[in-house]
Amino acid sequence: MDNQGSNHIDRRESPVGSDTVEAWTEKKQGLNETAVDIENNDMADKKYELPPNGDKGELEKQEGVCEKACLRDEPEKSGPWWKVCLKITACFLGGILFGIALEKTRVFEPNVIRDQFVYQRFIMMKAFLAAMATGLFCLGMMALVPVTQPVFQEIRGVFINHQEKGLLTSMVGGVLLGMGMTISGACPGMVLAQVGAGVGKGWALLTLLGCLVGVALYAMVEPWVVSFTKPANPYKKRHLDDWVPIPYAAIAFAFTVAIALVIFGIEYAKPWETEVCEYRHVNTNIVQCVQIPNDPNWTFFMTLRAWPPWAGGILIGLLQLIITLSVGDTLGGSSSYVTVVSQTLVTDRLREMSPYLNRYRTGLGNWWQVVYVVGAVVGALISAASSGTLGTVPPVSGAAGFFGGLIMLFGARLGAGCTSGHGLSGTALLVVISFFAVAAMFAGGTIIGFIMWGAARADMANFPLNYVTY
């Protein structure tokens, strides 16, 4: 980095349209010293460089393929031990809150997820939209407040350059992700909540195993995928505000209001209390979703079986602040599976065979997600135990759980994002590709959902109980 005088401030063009990222501070005003490099900042100590020229092209990575998770912290740059402990603690506590929110809203239940993709119940949609709106509002505020503006610009620049895949690849990955979600009755984050809440008294572990296998399969074909799907030319306009002459914060707040109105409309048409139900035979030939109300004599909110889905969604959206300010990253979940699978590379020869997995092995930039999802398991366990629902939620079949999990994680890694990565973080950052990926996810889930719905109707005596359980 060139130093052009004592009053020079290092400026680097960010890949976010006309916005410019300044180095966070100078060592001392008026001194003939180099401005502090962005890489040495505590909130941006990951292995990457922003392009020094005005090009909106992709970040020049230190290690080959531009996957977001390869932006890992070097051990010597992680900071003092107490600071690392604080970051890990923040991620773990955030994960606990995530698990509690998923369990209390009932959005983690396989039948709720499958019903969403055939539009019979809207618990998942309400929670998802509430989390998205809250994330938009939080990041919009960060973009306005001077103290947090550099952090916002930093995470936005990193997110948009996290991979070399184009729109088509992200959409194909989204379709596979949605299909896997319907088949398994889960998503990458909810799998951990299902494990913690004892879905099927342990059957959710088969879905978790399928997810890990899906990551391993993707790692085998990743070099081929990247070589054939990398866009010939980088996209010049990657954010929504690159396309319209409106500041990010204004768009974010407008979206927040619009989404809130949509949630209100859905809630008016389908009150959440009526959707907290369980499919049962009311007689030999008729199955109904029997409503399960909360205990009217409850004394502590954690003992409630269900919370309003929008309340849990708001809690999840607020976690965006915790993660952003603690580790300088955005909400995500599927990369944690890659970090876990990468631990199988126990020799140098194996690491050479899979550079993709090797990039995820070490560093706080990779391991924070693992800590986060472990917290989600603990949070769901605490929540289910508090309300007496531990191990009471029925699972899907073992085959559906395993193969659905496999397809789901393969799609998430192909598209480089899941319901949290693209759905909550990408859309909150107004990344255009993320909006297409989320639409593709719902399209894939809906297509396979109605195929399964139609097949289940062949046995009307058990329909739709057979749809949500096979």
Side-chain angles (χ1 to χ4, degrees):
M1 181 172 61
D2 296 330
N3 182 26
Q4 299 182 11
S6 60
N7 295 324
H8 173 67
I9 297 177
D10 178 31
R11 301 174 67 89
R12 299 185 177 194
E13 289 295 325
S14 77
V16 292
S18 61
D19 295 333
T20 302
V21 178
E22 292 188 350
W24 286 33
T25 184
E26 291 181 283
K27 286 187 177 180
K28 193 171 183 180
Q29 182 68 23
L31 292 183
N32 215 359
E33 299 181 31
T34 302
V36 177
D37 194 279
I38 292 175
E39 288 182 340
N40 292 332
N41 187 275
D42 180 55
M43 293 302 299
D45 55 357
K46 297 180 178 181
K47 289 185 66 178
Y48 66 90
E49 289 184 355
L50 292 172
N53 53 26
D55 187 11
K56 293 181 185 178
E58 305 189 25
L59 298 180
E60 292 298 322
K61 297 295 183 295
Q62 303 289 332
E63 297 186 71
V65 181
C66 301
E67 286 282 352
K68 182 179 180 181
C70 81
L71 310 178
R72 56 188 171 85
D73 297 330
E74 290 192 43
E76 63 271 19
K77 290 186 178 182
S78 295
W81 66 268
W82 59 268
K83 192 171 289 188
V84 174
C85 289
L86 284 177
K87 292 179 179 182
I88 292 174
T89 301
C91 292
F92 184 67
L93 294 177
I96 289 177
L97 293 176
F98 181 62
I100 291 173
L102 292 179
E103 202 280 335
K104 286 302 181 193
T105 57
R106 316 314 298 170
V107 72
F108 79 102
E109 295 187 13
N111 61 84
V112 169
I113 297 170
R114 282 189 173 180
D115 268 355
Q116 178 60 74
F117 283 112
V118 291
Y119 305 97
Q120 298 300 301
R121 285 190 279 176
F122 291 84
I123 291 175
M124 175 180 159
M125 181 74 75
K126 294 172 190 174
F128 179 75
L129 291 177
M132 182 189 297
T134 306
L136 279 161
F137 179 80
C138 290
L139 293 180
M141 291 301 297
M142 288 183 64
L144 291 179
V145 177
V147 174
T148 56
Q149 279 178 354
V151 186
F152 169 76
Q153 294 287 11
E154 193 69 23
I155 61 172
R156 205 179 191 211
V158 172
F159 186 95
I160 196 60
N161 292 280
H162 71 292
Q163 50 133 338
E164 293 182 333
K165 298 165 189 171
L167 177 62
L168 180 61
T169 309
S170 296
M171 291 186 67
V172 172
V175 169
L176 291 175
L177 169 64
M179 288 182 170
M181 287 175 64
T182 300
I183 295 171
S184 65
C187 81
M190 293 179 200
V191 172
L192 288 309
Q194 291 179 355
V195 171
V199 170
K201 293 183 171 60
W203 276 80
L205 290 170
L206 285 174
T207 307
L208 178 61
L209 177 61
C211 291
L212 297 174
V213 172
V215 166
L217 290 177
Y218 177 74
M220 294 179 185
V221 301
E222 186 267 348
W224 179 86
V225 170
V226 170
S227 64
F228 280 93
T229 62
K230 178 182 178 180
N233 298 303
Y235 298 116
K236 298 300 182 183
K237 296 182 178 180
R238 299 183 172 188
H239 297 95
L240 193 57
D241 51 311
D242 291 334
W243 291 86
V244 294
I246 302 175
Y248 166 84
I251 299 176
F253 293 147
F255 270 29
T256 299
V257 173
I259 293 172
L261 292 175
V262 171
I263 296 171
F264 178 82
I266 298 174
E267 180 65 21
Y268 181 80
K270 300 275 285 188
W272 71 271
E273 296 95 334
T274 64
E275 296 191 300
V276 180
C277 57
E278 184 177 289
Y279 286 107
R280 299 173 185 169
H281 278 97
V282 294
N283 61 43
T284 306
N285 297 313
I286 299 178
V287 175
Q288 291 183 353
C289 201
V290 180
Q291 187 174 340
I292 306 176
N294 281 319
D295 183 356
N297 298 317
W298 65 276
T299 57
F300 181 51
F301 68 95
M302 283 296 292
T303 63
L304 290 171
R305 184 178 189 274
W307 295 350
W310 48 264
I314 291 173
L315 178 57
I316 293 171
L318 289 173
L319 295 177
Q320 196 75 261
L321 281 178
I322 295 177
I323 298 303
T324 298
L325 297 177
S326 61
V327 295
D329 208 339
T330 50
L331 285 178
S334 62
S335 294
S336 63
Y337 293 89
V338 190
T339 299
V340 171
V341 173
S342 71
Q343 302 312 301
T344 60
L345 306 181
V346 294
T347 66
D348 291 339
R349 174 60 177 161
L350 289 174
R351 293 166 194 164
E352 292 173 2
M353 291 173 61
S354 183
Y356 172 75
L357 289 178
N358 191 43
R359 288 192 299 273
Y360 290 80
R361 289 183 57 251
T362 60
L364 183 61
N366 290 320
W367 276 92
W368 78 260
Q369 275 199 25
V370 177
V371 175
Y372 179 76
V373 298
V374 169
V377 175
V378 175
L381 172 62
I382 293 171
S383 180
S386 299
S387 58
T389 58
L390 185 63
T392 62
V393 175
V396 299
S397 69
F402 177 82
F403 288 107
L406 186 156
I407 296 169
M408 176 171 65
L409 255 294
F410 188 95
R413 298 323 303 159
L414 176 65
C418 60
T419 45
S420 292
H422 277 311
L424 300 185
S425 297
T427 56
L429 292 169
L430 301 185
V431 177
V432 175
I433 258 183
S434 292
F435 286 98
F436 282 97
V438 172
M441 177 194 76
F442 273 96
T446 298
I447 290 170
I448 199 69
F450 276 106
I451 291 173
M452 294 169 62
W453 180 268
R457 289 181 67 88
D459 180 14
M460 289 302 296
N462 294 303
F463 178 81
L465 179 61
N466 52 356
Y467 164 71
V468 298
T469 56
Y470 70 75

